[in-house]
Amino acid sequence: MKIGFVGLGIMGKPMAINLVKAGHEVFGYDFNQENVAELVKAGGFEAESGKDAAQKGEIVITMLPNSPHVESALFSENGIAEGLTEGQTVIDMSSISPVASKDFSVRLAELKVNFLDAPVSGGEPKAIDGSLAVMVGGDEEVFNRFKDVLDVMASSVTLVGEVGAGNLTKLANQMIVAINIAAISEAYSLAKKAGVDPSRVYQAIRSGLAGSTVMDQKSQKIFDGDFTPGFRIDLHIKDLQNALDSSHAYNVSTPFTAQAMEILQVLKAHDYGSDDHSGIARYYELVNNQKLQ
Ligand code: NAD
């Protein structure tokens, strides 16, 4: 299949290259020419603009930072929408606001273009080895038509509901992860201050009700004070902002998400925005004036 691919960053580039390896003709566009050159080196083709990518591809996949970037890639001059024709499909794999996904879907429907929101979980290593988890919102018939394309990039592809449901699911994931890291760090801080080794607390409780994938993946980083990313605090701030915006749009109160967001803001103010989100533990080190290592 001919596929336009807009946004060839940390995630988009390996995802596009996996599509090339699977035999698809991929026409890539990114502001960053080096990223496009790497796709071409891997057997893909260069698109001159979003419009060009849409004209050359039967479908267009976008993998961009946030809602304003997707809006601009779709609807600005020479953007994707200018190159789309009736019956084509846009699959946005960026993690953005579900409210924005719905808006884009309505605007593309006016052009008789289908839209799926299909954000991913997994990070760069899983983008490279094609084992991302994809959560999709949109029409079931459109989903079934393009599931094979998504399967190339993923080990799990799940239709969750209507347009916006993919990003809502991604936000749920990000809320739970941030609050979970904060809960773990808070408990380890108390243990440390009380003279109990947090790593022993972890060993004692990890297989009980409090245990979690987050606890297993992040505890050692906290004990080592190793906050190399991983998933950056700056990106988690973006996701929690979208979660809070969505909560307010739907009149839902999400106090723990708001609290986690404020913790992340403190860390950003201390220039830790590029750290892994397990660096939430640093917040507790700062306010309690004690190291967790
Ligand atoms: P990135 O910043 O590395 O890549 C974004 C790319 O988009 C850049 O190369 C940029 O030049 C390009 N771009 C921006 N606006 C553009 C436009 N209008 N037209 C063309 N190109 C444009 O970001 P990333 O890490 O690849 O993340 C992409 C999305 O995936 C984000 O929503 C992020 O939250 C999500 N995500 C990231 C990870 C991760 O670990 N990095 C994991 C899961 C999900």
Side-chain angles (χ1 to χ4, degrees), residues 95 119-122 135 165-175 239:
S95 301
V120 309
S121 169
M135 41 219 104
N167 272 304
L168 203 88
T169 306
K170 174 75 184 179
L171 292 184
N173 183 77
Q174 297 304 80
M175 292 161 78
D239 289 333

Side-chain angles (χ1 to χ4, degrees), residues 6 9-11 29-31 35 63-65 73 95 120 123 238:
V6 177
I10 292 174
M11 299 294 287
Y29 175 65
D30 193 295
F31 290 155
N35 292 350
M63 191 53 170
L64 299 159
S95 301
V120 309
K238 183 257 305 183

Side-chain angles (χ1 to χ4, degrees), residues 37-241:
E38 284 187 55
L39 173 67
V40 171
K41 209 168 120 196
F45 302 93
E46 178 177 353
E48 283 163 18
S49 61
K51 177 180 175 180
D52 190 35
Q55 285 171 334
K56 289 185 169 143
E58 292 161 53
I59 63 170
V60 183
I61 294 176
T62 47
M63 191 53 170
L64 299 159
N66 201 1
S67 317
H69 307 88
V70 178
E71 178 164 37
S72 158
L74 285 172
F75 300 112
S76 64
E77 201 182 332
N78 264 328
I80 295 163
E82 286 188 13
L84 291 167
T85 50
E86 193 174 321
Q88 266 181 285
T89 298
V90 172
I91 305 178
D92 179 35
M93 302 191 73
S94 327
S95 301
I96 67 167
S97 154
V99 177
S101 295
K102 286 187 179 185
D103 175 48
F104 302 154
S105 170
V106 168
R107 288 157 76 181
L108 290 172
E110 286 166 13
L111 306 172
K112 300 201 164 35
V113 167
N114 307 304
F115 181 81
L116 299 175
D117 63 311
V120 309
S121 169
E124 189 184 18
K126 286 179 183 267
I128 291 170
D129 69 18
S131 64
L132 293 165
V134 186
M135 41 219 104
V136 188
D139 183 80
E140 189 166 3
E141 185 273 320
V142 178
F143 170 78
N144 287 335
R145 230 187 305 156
F146 300 112
K147 183 168 180 296
D148 284 356
V149 174
L150 297 174
D151 279 336
V152 168
M153 299 175 275
S155 56
S156 112
V157 178
T158 310
L159 180 67
V160 198
E162 299 293 310
V163 167
N167 272 304
L168 203 88
T169 306
K170 174 75 184 179
L171 292 184
N173 183 77
Q174 297 304 80
M175 292 161 78
I176 291 166
V177 169
I179 294 166
N180 207 337
I181 298 174
I184 291 163
S185 304
E186 195 165 303
Y188 291 161
S189 298
L190 172 62
K192 180 88 182 192
K193 207 72 158 204
V196 181
D197 181 350
S199 68
R200 292 199 185 190
V201 171
Y202 164 60
Q203 286 304 334
I205 67 173
R206 62 180 293 261
S207 48
L209 195 55
S212 66
T213 309
V214 167
M215 184 183 272
D216 283 337
Q217 288 193 5
K218 300 299 178 184
S219 288
Q220 198 56 49
K221 285 177 86 67
I222 292 170
F223 302 146
D224 293 344
D226 169 17
F227 301 125
T228 49
F231 189 78
R232 289 192 180 83
I233 283 170
D234 281 338
L235 273 181
H236 218 138
I237 286 176
K238 183 257 305 183
D239 289 333
L240 293 194
Q241 187 62 56

